């Protein structure tokens, strides 16, 4: 598939699900299965997203399948539960919600649950440390207000969406297109940092923030620079009103390679896969795949 | 007293401890949990060792090797729980075995580097541990239950490789791994004590290197122990740094005192409180085995050090500043009466009350403490009856500039420079003029 080829040209890629059950793990496993055998790959996950839910409901966190030679990082707890033979390369001082972070190398193919570093700084550190072992780092990227780590640390990104995010094709396309629009925000020119015509902010971009900027006459025409797309929590209406009069840039940007869809919702409702792929692809101008059909 | 109990004393100790370039969390924890040394022999022996470290780090040719050794020590981890598990007879899991192997290999590497630098560090020989956890002799600090441990494991693993999804084979692999880990844990158990020693010794090296580097960087001295205190050309690094940032320089000064109350007077802004804090700092640093900020230092090891300085903490306890102060000094008197060997540093006692009673309280305090054999420095502005105890004063303003030197003073000689200094500060003229007329 095309995006696998594109993915191999980047040094890191995060797989982001817009909602639980949008097929993020399917997508991750698909990528891992289709990478060429010669590729040197390291895999981890960001955050503790969904962790507590899983412990409450008792549903199993999905496992991913790793091939011999792949390097992975997971918490102590999930390392002990692994279903493969692996060699420990490092036990980091850094602690995750589930103990120390263990980096291992797969010796005999099998399954493992991933729960990696919990902050953007620590995921970045781990990606750096994994460099000697891998040409490509794949990050299981939780996209949630619960996670402190941002998937935007990776060079490229694959987005998983589906019926679980919205049961109506029109709404699903609209909502997904909004996230895609945010992911595709252009990268800020670092040299102009601190320029007068620019408003720089690190934190969350909410409706109030945007309205606050729009309401001040002196801000007219100024550009807004934010950390990355995950910081935007604004309502699409407010956002679009804002972007009519202001350009927005991000300091950290991932190149979106593809969008995958899971037409089946957890309640059993199924959307028309072909129609969904076509409509979405039209709206976002990117290839869209239903991985179950591949 | 542990370092963590005294580190917040308002004398600049935290500044010195924070400035230490310690690499591992283990060493940092060990430092703050360290008991203050109180025996002269212990202190001398400690400084003898620290001096060897200082001589090593002071040599420019050793700089890279020292940096490398410090980098090596960043890998030191706290294996407390793992070692407890090992000693308790538990079977260690892969992660714990990895940690043990990592520690054993780190010990060997550290020992090699420390020996090359001729540092006095006795690290245990853990080759047997390395051998147990590195059956293939690869000398790489990674770990898994190697096939080299058993032929059965080897054949099971190769079967698993052919059928990765076969649950039965996977379970058999796990069973065999467990058996091997049980055996390894059993064989490692006798080494648990040595592993603990190795961890502590490496933390010690980490601390010693940091202290030696600090002593070298700030030109600190290593003190002698004696029966009286002499601090020559002492300074307070925290205050010095604050002054430096304002473009000012710190005037170093010297002090000597024995085992009786010593009165310290001087004009306002004459640095009396800084003297008191610096004496306290030097004393704490010596008993914690740091370099001391002075050209030369002779000090007496103490069982306890009392710093009675106002730092506004009384509010939290719901005491008035007067009550808090009285209680603090009361504990000094009690300790003195019980015959304990203490140093007390008391900043302007009874300053918040009226001068008549204040003067009486301070004079009486000197009388009570005289002859108890404790060392006490009292800063005061009151003209008190010093009961023939030694008095020192800050030289004060000369030629329009403050001279912070401490000189012997006559009993009851208290400088009257408050108005002159206020004038220099540019305080309201009318006010100062009217005050001058009252005198």
């Amino acid at each position: 598939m095309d995006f696998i080829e594109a993915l191999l040209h980047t040094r890191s890629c995060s797989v982001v699900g817009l909602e639980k059950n949008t097929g993020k793990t399917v997508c991750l496993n698909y990528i891992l299965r289709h990478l060429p055998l010669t590729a040197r790959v390291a895999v981890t996950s960001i955050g503790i997203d969904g962790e507590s839910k899983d412990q409450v409901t008792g549903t199993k966190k999905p496992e991913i399948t790793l091939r011999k030679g792949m390097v992975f990082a997971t918490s102590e707890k999930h390392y002990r539960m692994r279903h493969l033979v692996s060699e420990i390369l490092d036990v980091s001082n850094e602690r995750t919600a589930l103990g120390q972070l263990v980096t291992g190398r797969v010796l005999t193919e099998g399954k493992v649950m991933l729960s990696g570093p919990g902050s953007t700084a620590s995921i970045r550190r781990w990606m750096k440390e994994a460099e000697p072992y891998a040409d490509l780092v794949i990050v299981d990227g939780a996209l949630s207000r619960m996670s402190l780590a941002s998937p935007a640390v990776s060079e490229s990104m694959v987005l998983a969406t589906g019926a679980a995010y919205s049961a109506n094709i029109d709404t699903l396309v609209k909502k997904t297109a909004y996230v895609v629009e945010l992911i595709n925000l252009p990268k800020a020119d670092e040299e102009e940092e601190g320029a007068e015509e620019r408003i720089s902010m690190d934190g969350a971009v909410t409706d109030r923030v945007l309205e606050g900027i729009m309401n001040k006459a002196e801000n007219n025409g100024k550009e807004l620079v934010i950390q990355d797309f995950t910081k935007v929590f604004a309502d699409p209406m407010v956002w679009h009103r804002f972007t009519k009069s202001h350009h927005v840039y991000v300091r950290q940007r991932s190149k979106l390679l593809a969008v995958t869809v899971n037409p089946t919702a957890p309640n059993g409702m199924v959307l028309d896969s072909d129609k969904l792929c076509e409509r979405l692809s039209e709206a976002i101008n990117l290839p869209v795949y239903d991985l179950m059909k591949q | 007293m542990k370092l963590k109990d005294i580190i917040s004393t308002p004398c600049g100790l935290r500044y010195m401890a924070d400035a230490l370039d310690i690499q591992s969390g283990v060493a940092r924890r060990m430092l703050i949990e360290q008991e203050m040394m109180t025996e002269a022999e212990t202190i001398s022996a400690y400084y003898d060792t620290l001096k060897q470290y200082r001589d090593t780090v002071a040599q420019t040719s050793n700089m890279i090797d020292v940096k490398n050794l410090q980098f090596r020590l960043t890998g030191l981890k706290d294996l407390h729980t793992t070692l407890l598990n090992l000693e308790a007879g538990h079977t260690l899991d892969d992660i714990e075995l990895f940690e043990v192997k990592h520690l054993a290999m780190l010990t060997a590497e550290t020992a090699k580097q420390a020996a090359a630098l001729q540092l006095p560090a006795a690290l245990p020989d853990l080759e047997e541990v390395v051998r147990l956890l590195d059956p293939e002799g690869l000398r790489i600090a990674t770990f898994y239950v190697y096939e080299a441990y058993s032929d059965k494991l080897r054949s099971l693993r190769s079967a698993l490789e052919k059928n990765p999804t076969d649950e039965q084979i996977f379970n058999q692999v796990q069973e065999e791994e467990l058996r091997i880990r049980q055996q390894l844990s059993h064989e490692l158990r006798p080494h648990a004590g040595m592993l603990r020693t190795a961890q502590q010794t490496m933390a010690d090296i980490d601390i010693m290197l940091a202290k030696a580097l600090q002593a070298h960087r700030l030109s600190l001295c290593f003190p002698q122990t004696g029966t009286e205190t002499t601090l020559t050309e002492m300074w307070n690094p925290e205050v010095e740094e604050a002054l430096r940032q304002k473009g000012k320089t710190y005037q170093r000064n010297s002090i000597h005192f024995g085992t009786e109350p010593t009165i310290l007077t001087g004009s306002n802004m004459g640095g009396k409180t800084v003297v008191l804090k610096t004496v306290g700092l030097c004393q704490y640093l010596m008993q914690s085995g740091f370099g001391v900020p002075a050209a030369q230092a002779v000090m007496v090891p103490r069982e306890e050090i009392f710093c009675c300085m106002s730092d506004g903490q009384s509010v939290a306890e719901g005491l008035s500043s007067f009550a808090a102060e009285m209680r603090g000094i009361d504990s000094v008197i009690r300790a003195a009466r019980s015959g304990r060997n203490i140093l007390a540093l008391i900043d302007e006692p009874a300053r918040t009350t009226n001068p008549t009673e204040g003067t009486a309280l301070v004079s009486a305090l000197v009388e009570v403490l005289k002859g108890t054999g404790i060392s006490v420095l009292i800063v005061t502005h009151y003209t008190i009856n010093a009961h023939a105890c030694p008095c020192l004063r800050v030289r004060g303003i000369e030629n329009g500039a403050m001279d912070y030197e401490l000189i012997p003073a006559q009993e009851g000689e208290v400088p009257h420079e408050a108005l002159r200094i206020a004038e220099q500060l540019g305080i309201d003229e009318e006010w100062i003029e009217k005050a001058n007329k009252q005198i």
Side-chain angles (χ1 to χ4, degrees):
Chain A
M1 193 173 292
D2 291 348
F3 81 88
I4 298 282
E5 185 56 37
L7 200 149
L8 284 167
H9 292 291
T10 66
R11 290 199 52 84
S12 55
C13 178
S14 49
V15 179
V16 176
L18 278 179
E19 186 63 67
K20 273 183 159 304
N21 295 308
T22 49
K24 185 182 64 170
T25 307
V26 172
C27 177
L28 198 60
N29 276 326
Y30 180 91
I31 292 173
L32 292 170
R33 204 165 56 238
H34 285 82
L35 286 170
L37 288 170
T38 49
R40 294 166 65 240
V41 182
V43 194
T44 190
S45 154
I46 52 172
I48 46 173
D49 183 52
E51 209 51 67
S52 53
K53 274 187 211 161
D54 290 351
Q55 273 159 17
V56 172
T57 58
T59 54
K60 216 171 156 194
K61 200 173 191 286
E63 290 178 315
I64 60 157
T65 307
L66 296 180
R67 280 200 311 245
K68 186 175 175 174
M70 285 180 172
V71 169
F72 64 98
T74 193
S75 65
E76 234 175 290
K77 182 182 168 190
H78 287 152
Y79 190 85
R80 293 204 170 94
M81 289 160 67
R82 76 200 183 282
H83 208 284
L84 44 73
V85 180
S86 59
E87 173 181 24
I88 300 178
L89 299 177
D90 184 45
V91 178
S92 148
N93 281 324
E94 220 157 276
R95 298 195 72 85
T96 72
L98 301 170
Q100 306 180 84
L101 185 69
V102 181
T103 303
R105 190 201 324 262
V106 182
L107 298 171
T108 307
E109 182 180 318
K111 290 180 173 180
V112 67
M113 278 184 261
L114 290 181
S115 49
S119 74
T120 305
S122 50
I123 181 81
R124 223 185 241 135
R125 210 152 36 231
W126 187 80
M127 284 166 77
K128 183 107 193 107
E129 279 164 20
E131 266 173 20
Y133 309 117
D135 301 321
L136 173 65
V137 177
I138 296 179
V139 180
D140 178 350
L143 180 61
S144 149
R145 292 167 204 216
M146 298 290 290
S147 172
L148 294 169
S150 166
V153 292
S154 65
E155 215 178 302
S156 66
M157 190 177 290
V158 175
L159 189 67
T161 186
Y165 192 43
S166 173
N168 174 299
I169 288 194
D170 287 337
T171 320
L172 177 57
V173 167
K174 220 157 127 189
K175 281 172 84 175
T176 306
Y178 177 48
V179 179
V180 171
E181 181 190 336
L182 296 179
I183 296 173
N184 284 335
L185 282 172
K187 197 168 167 8
D189 187 346
E190 277 165 33
E191 280 173 19
E192 282 176 34
E193 189 69 23
E196 245 178 54
E197 290 310 301
R198 172 174 280 196
I199 303 165
S200 244
M201 56 181 296
D202 293 322
V205 181
T206 59
D207 292 354
R208 277 185 68 166
V209 169
L210 295 178
E211 271 157 7
I213 296 173
M214 284 189 284
N215 288 343
K216 280 198 186 132
E218 74 254 32
N219 288 332
N220 252 347
K222 280 193 183 173
E223 16 183 89
L224 175 66
V225 178
I226 62 174
Q227 188 53 35
D228 61 54
F229 81 95
T230 62
K231 296 287 186 285
V232 180
F233 297 102
D235 182 88
M237 299 251 294
V238 181
W239 175 260
H240 287 127
R241 195 146 50 81
F242 183 82
T243 49
K244 262 183 201 152
S245 48
H246 299 265
H247 288 288
V248 185
Y249 298 91
V250 288
R251 281 188 215 100
Q252 195 168 255
R253 181 180 190 269
S254 303
K255 184 177 162 48
L256 184 62
L257 300 178
V259 174
T260 68
V261 293
N262 176 7
T264 310
N267 61 11
M269 208 233 2
V270 185
L271 298 176
D272 180 339
S273 171
D274 291 340
K275 196 171 151 199
L276 176 58
C277 289
E278 197 190 310
R279 290 277 309 279
L280 193 54
S281 185
E282 229 167 66
I284 62 176
N285 206 13
L286 264 177
V288 176
Y289 306 94
D290 177 353
L291 295 179
M292 297 310 253
K293 291 180 89 185
Q294 300 293 324
Chain B
M1 286 277 221
K2 291 178 175 174
L3 185 60
K4 68 173 179 188
D5 303 320
I6 53 176
I7 197 162
S8 300
T9 322
C11 63
L13 187 57
R14 184 181 293 279
Y15 176 83
M16 296 296 280
D18 284 352
L20 287 180
D21 186 18
I22 290 180
Q23 309 303 314
S24 63
V26 190
R28 203 158 269 287
R29 266 194 300 284
M30 208 163 102
L31 178 78
I32 62 164
E33 291 290 341
Q34 216 154 39
E35 284 288 340
M36 222 165 70
M37 298 181 281
T38 51
E39 301 296 329
E41 296 87 55
T42 325
I43 294 172
S44 303
Y46 192 90
Y47 279 112
D48 284 346
T49 314
L50 186 55
K51 193 170 173 304
Q52 295 184 53
Y53 275 83
R54 205 258 323 263
D55 292 348
T56 301
V57 304
Q59 279 181 43
T60 327
S61 55
N62 286 336
M63 217 159 70
I64 294 170
D65 289 340
V66 168
K67 278 261 163 272
N68 285 340
L69 177 54
Q70 280 196 305
F71 182 71
R72 171 84 53 202
L73 291 168
T74 56
L76 183 60
K77 283 191 205 147
D78 193 352
L79 262 65
H80 183 68
T81 323
T82 304
L83 294 178
L84 281 183
N85 285 344
L86 185 60
E87 279 162 344
H90 297 299
T91 300
L92 301 188
D93 64 20
D94 283 32
I95 300 173
E96 290 171 315
L97 289 170
F98 169 85
E99 287 178 325
V100 169
K101 180 175 177 182
H102 188 264
L103 178 66
M105 289 187 63
L106 187 73
T107 307
E109 296 295 332
T110 306
K112 216 185 290 168
Q113 283 176 284
L117 283 165
Q118 293 177 325
L119 293 175
L123 281 160
D125 182 359
L126 294 170
E127 271 315 297
E128 180 59 18
V129 175
V130 176
R131 199 190 58 75
L132 282 170
L133 296 173
D134 185 20
E136 294 171 354
L138 300 171
R139 301 291 304 189
I140 308 172
T142 64
F143 181 78
Y144 70 110
V145 182
Y146 298 91
E147 282 98 44
Y149 286 123
S150 101
D151 289 336
K152 186 178 172 192
L153 185 65
R154 193 186 301 277
S155 59
L156 280 170
R157 285 240 179 97
S158 68
L160 183 67
E161 204 164 345
K162 284 172 202 127
N163 303 294
T165 49
D166 192 320
E167 283 290 321
Q168 208 185 342
I169 304 177
F170 186 79
N171 289 342
Q172 284 175 334
V173 168
Q174 294 228 304
E175 271 166 35
E176 180 62 6
E177 281 184 12
L178 175 65
R179 190 194 62 76
I180 294 167
R181 283 192 285 109
Q182 276 166 344
Q183 194 189 329
L184 279 175
S185 304
H186 178 74
E187 287 176 276
L188 285 170
R189 199 156 306 137
H191 302 278
M194 283 219 290
L195 283 160
R196 202 181 290 279
T197 310
Q199 180 180 312
Q200 276 162 3
T201 311
M202 282 191 282
D204 258 334
I205 297 175
D206 194 356
I207 293 172
M208 282 287 191
L209 277 177
K211 284 180 175 173
L213 283 163
Q214 183 181 55
H216 177 56
R217 191 175 61 240
L218 300 176
S219 307
L220 308 176
C221 78
F222 295 147
Q224 306 281 323
T225 54
T227 50
E228 297 203 322
T229 300
T230 309
L231 290 162
T232 314
E233 297 282 298
M234 63 173 178
W235 77 96
N236 192 307
E238 186 177 18
V239 179
E240 185 183 51
E241 175 61 22
L243 287 175
R244 200 185 57 77
Q245 284 183 5
K246 287 186 201 155
K248 295 179 182 168
T249 49
Y250 187 106
Q251 185 190 336
R252 302 183 176 195
N253 46 20
S254 307
I255 193 168
H256 170 84
F257 57 88
T259 48
E260 56 197 337
T262 302
I263 317 298
L264 187 56
T265 62
S267 53
N268 299 77
M269 300 177 68
K272 301 180 299 296
T273 304
V274 173
V275 166
L276 221 52
K277 286 182 173 179
T278 309
V279 169
L281 175 66
C282 291
Q283 186 75 34
Y284 281 131
L285 289 175
M286 171 183 79
Q287 297 192 233
S288 309
F290 284 64
V292 169
Q296 272 180 340
V298 181
M299 281 180 278
V300 190
R302 311 282 179 177
E303 287 171 68
E304 207 170 336
I305 301 152
F306 290 84
C307 284
C308 303
M309 299 173 195
S310 68
D311 54 353
Q313 281 173 0
S314 49
V315 181
E317 289 163 33
L319 289 176
S320 80
S321 51
F322 182 73
E325 186 188 17
M326 286 297 120
R327 292 235 173 118
I329 297 171
D330 184 55
S331 54
V332 172
I333 298 173
R334 280 169 202 272
R337 286 223 179 98
S338 70
R340 285 164 66 81
N341 173 15
I342 67 165
L343 169 68
L345 304 164
I346 307 174
D347 195 14
E348 297 190 40
R351 74 189 162 286
T352 54
T353 190
N354 67 75
T356 324
E357 283 180 294
T359 308
L361 276 169
V362 181
S363 297
L365 176 65
V366 175
E367 194 179 348
V368 169
L369 292 179
K370 190 176 155 76
T372 56
I374 70 160
S375 295
V376 52
L377 277 181
I378 300 173
V379 167
T380 186
H381 281 294
Y382 297 142
T383 307
I384 59 157
N385 177 358
H387 305 282
C389 285
C391 296
L392 297 168
R393 75 170 174 90
V394 177
R395 194 181 278 278
I397 295 185
E398 279 188 358
N399 306 323
M402 183 64 79
D403 186 339
Y404 296 94
E405 191 189 349
L406 295 175
I407 53 170
Q410 296 301 313
E411 188 174 323
E413 180 194 4
V414 174
H416 293 91
E417 293 180 316
L419 294 180
R420 210 146 57 110
I421 289 167
E423 223 172 82
Q424 282 196 349
L425 284 171
I427 306 298
D428 188 82
E429 276 174 41
E430 189 191 342
W431 178 21
I432 306 303
E433 207 182 299
K434 290 215 160 123
N436 257 320
K437 279 185 192 151
Q438 302 245 350
I439 295 173

